[in-house]
């Protein structure tokens, strides 16, 4: 816990925003040194100017049977808060449709407020389109969100804690992914470059694991049928306690993160629970994203130190 607290404070004070090329480069330099301290040999992997991503990889992704991932980039401040409810897909869809309608309504009202006093009805449509595009650009490329404790400093911290807690194993690879906020370009490039091995390897992705005492484990539709995987997850993560495991291997879930670029995957996220809504993640892409529970990170590190040998050894026996 002491090392987790040190890393947390350093990340939140020195590297709270990782968005520009310069900010990312400085962060990666520090990240490589931290991985070296934990006994992991790491390197940067680039994918050309068109993709623009630079991932940090510890281990050999062409031989690994398990890849542990977390994206390290941070996003822009959204005009309306982002909302994610992994277990309530209708609520997730309705919220984003409503947010889009609210945004369209605001743009329409602003266009009307400009054109009506000028008595220029012909200006209404082009002004509306310009303002709508500007609003979309602001959401994707606008000013950086300054508070990113849960999204995704928590995932970076969790992966660093796992690197420190788990024994180095040639069957395991750690990957800090770039450009999640740009349509998961880092994950897409990583999969494409190492497709021969990654078509069969398990990918465990940590994203937004710092705010909430329910730790959701979400296997993909291909992974949920892997008995060795689900047994190892159940045995490794605590069912009760300050942080509770919720293994969801049935039903419909949707969690938009880098694991969706891989066939065999497990998404790990921390959620709050509200009756009538279900599990949800609050305050994403807003100034209120300040919660990063150290007990969550310690739980993940300890659980993964148990999970990796359990799963890998059983996989070898099959």
């Amino acid at each position: 816990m002491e090392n987790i607290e040190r890393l947390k404070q350093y990340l939140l004070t020195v590297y709270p925003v990782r968005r520009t090329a310069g900010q990312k480069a400085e962060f990666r330099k520090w990240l490589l040194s931290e991985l070296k301290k934990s006994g992991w040999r790491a390197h940067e992997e680039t994918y050309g100017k068109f993709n623009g991503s630079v991932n940090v990889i510890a281990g050999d992704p062409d031989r690994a049977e398990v890849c542990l991932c977390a994206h390290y980039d941070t996003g822009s401040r959204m005009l309306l808060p982002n909302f994610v409810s992994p277990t309530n897909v209708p609520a997730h869809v309705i919220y984003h449709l409503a947010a889009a309608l609210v945004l369209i309504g605001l743009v329409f009202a602003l266009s009307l407020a400009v054109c009506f006093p000028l008595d220029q009805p012909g200006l209404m449509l082009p002004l509306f389109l310009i303002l709508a595009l500007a609003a979309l650009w602001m959401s994707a490329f606008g000013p950086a969100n300054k508070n990113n404790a849960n999204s995704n400093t928590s995932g970076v911290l969790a992966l660093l804690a796992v690197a420190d807690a788990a024994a180095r194993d040639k069957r395991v690879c750690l990957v800090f992914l770039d450009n999640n906020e740009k349509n998961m370009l880092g994950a897409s490039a990583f999969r494409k470059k190492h497709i021969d091995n990654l078509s069969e390897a398990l990918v465990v992705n940590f994203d937004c694991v710092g705010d909430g005492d329910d730790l959701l484990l979400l296997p993909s539709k291909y992974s949920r049928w892997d008995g060795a995987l689900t047994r190892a997850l159940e045995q490794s993560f605590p069912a009760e306690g300050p942080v509770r495991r919720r293994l969801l291997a049935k039903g419909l879930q949707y969690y938009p993160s880098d694991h969706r670029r891989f066939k065999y995957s497990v998404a790990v996220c921390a959620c709050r629970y509200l009756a009538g809504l279900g599990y949800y993640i609050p305050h994403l892409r807003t100034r209120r994203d300040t919660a990063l529970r150290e007990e969550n990170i310690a739980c993940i590190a300890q659980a993964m130190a148990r999970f990796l040998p359990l799963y890998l050894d059983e996989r070898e026996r099959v």
Side-chain angles (χ1 to χ4, degrees), residues 48-318:
K49 292 183 179 180
F50 181 76
N51 183 282
S53 300
V54 183
N55 296 336
V56 174
I57 300 174
D60 186 351
D62 292 318
R63 298 173 59 190
E65 297 178 39
V66 178
C67 290
L68 308 180
C69 302
H71 78 86
Y72 68 85
D73 61 311
T74 58
S76 62
R77 176 85 172 272
M78 294 186 72
L79 298 176
L80 295 172
N82 195 6
F83 171 77
V84 176
S85 181
T87 59
N88 193 333
V89 178
H92 180 92
V93 173
I94 289 170
Y95 175 86
H96 285 87
L97 285 176
L101 290 174
V102 168
L103 192 60
I104 290 172
L106 291 173
V107 169
F108 178 81
L110 184 57
S111 302
L112 187 63
V114 172
C115 297
F116 186 77
L118 297 176
D119 193 23
Q120 294 289 333
L123 185 62
M124 183 75 180
L125 180 59
L127 182 59
F128 173 82
L129 293 175
I130 290 170
L131 290 175
L133 289 173
L136 290 174
W137 184 90
M138 284 287 290
S139 295
F141 305 105
N145 193 42
K146 294 183 179 180
N147 296 331
N148 304 284
N150 192 29
S151 177
N152 188 31
T153 299
S154 64
V156 170
L157 182 57
L159 203 48
L160 282 170
V162 172
D164 198 38
R168 188 167 179 266
D169 191 321
K170 65 181 180 181
R171 299 171 296 177
V172 179
C173 179
L174 311 180
V175 187
F176 295 82
L177 295 166
D178 193 6
N179 283 334
N180 167 273
E181 302 294 346
K182 294 182 179 179
N183 199 32
M184 298 177 273
L185 286 175
S188 298
F190 177 67
R191 180 195 63 185
K192 184 177 180 180
K193 184 164 185 176
H194 306 284
I195 187 64
D196 290 342
N197 188 54
L198 291 178
S199 60
E200 299 296 330
L202 173 69
V203 173
V204 182
N205 182 48
F206 304 100
D207 194 353
C208 299
V209 294
D211 188 3
D213 51 14
D214 287 299
L215 203 61
L216 269 57
L217 310 176
L218 306 169
S220 67
K221 64 179 181 180
Y222 299 101
S223 299
R224 60 177 56 182
W225 306 110
D226 185 346
L229 171 62
T230 55
R231 284 192 298 272
L233 289 172
E234 287 177 334
Q235 293 174 31
S236 302
F237 285 83
E240 298 298 334
V243 185
R244 301 182 294 269
R245 174 249 302 157
R246 298 289 183 258
L247 176 59
L248 304 177
K250 295 181 181 179
L252 178 64
Q253 295 98 34
Y254 175 71
Y255 189 55
S257 189
D258 296 289
H259 63 279
R260 298 185 63 81
R261 292 290 185 263
F262 304 95
K263 184 176 182 180
Y264 298 104
S265 65
V266 176
V268 182
C269 62
C271 290
R272 300 184 187 184
Y273 183 83
L274 183 65
L277 174 64
Y279 296 106
Y280 71 101
I281 304 174
H283 311 317
L284 298 180
R285 305 279 288 275
T286 73
R287 64 180 181 178
R288 297 179 64 190
D289 183 4
T290 57
L292 204 177
R293 291 162 36 113
E294 292 174 26
E295 53 266 42
N296 288 30
I297 306 304
C299 174
I300 289 171
Q302 293 161 10
M304 292 308 296
R306 293 188 292 265
F307 167 79
L308 290 169
L310 274 175
Y311 175 68
L312 289 167
D313 291 347
E314 184 163 351
R315 182 167 173 164
E316 285 189 352
R317 287 194 294 267
V318 174

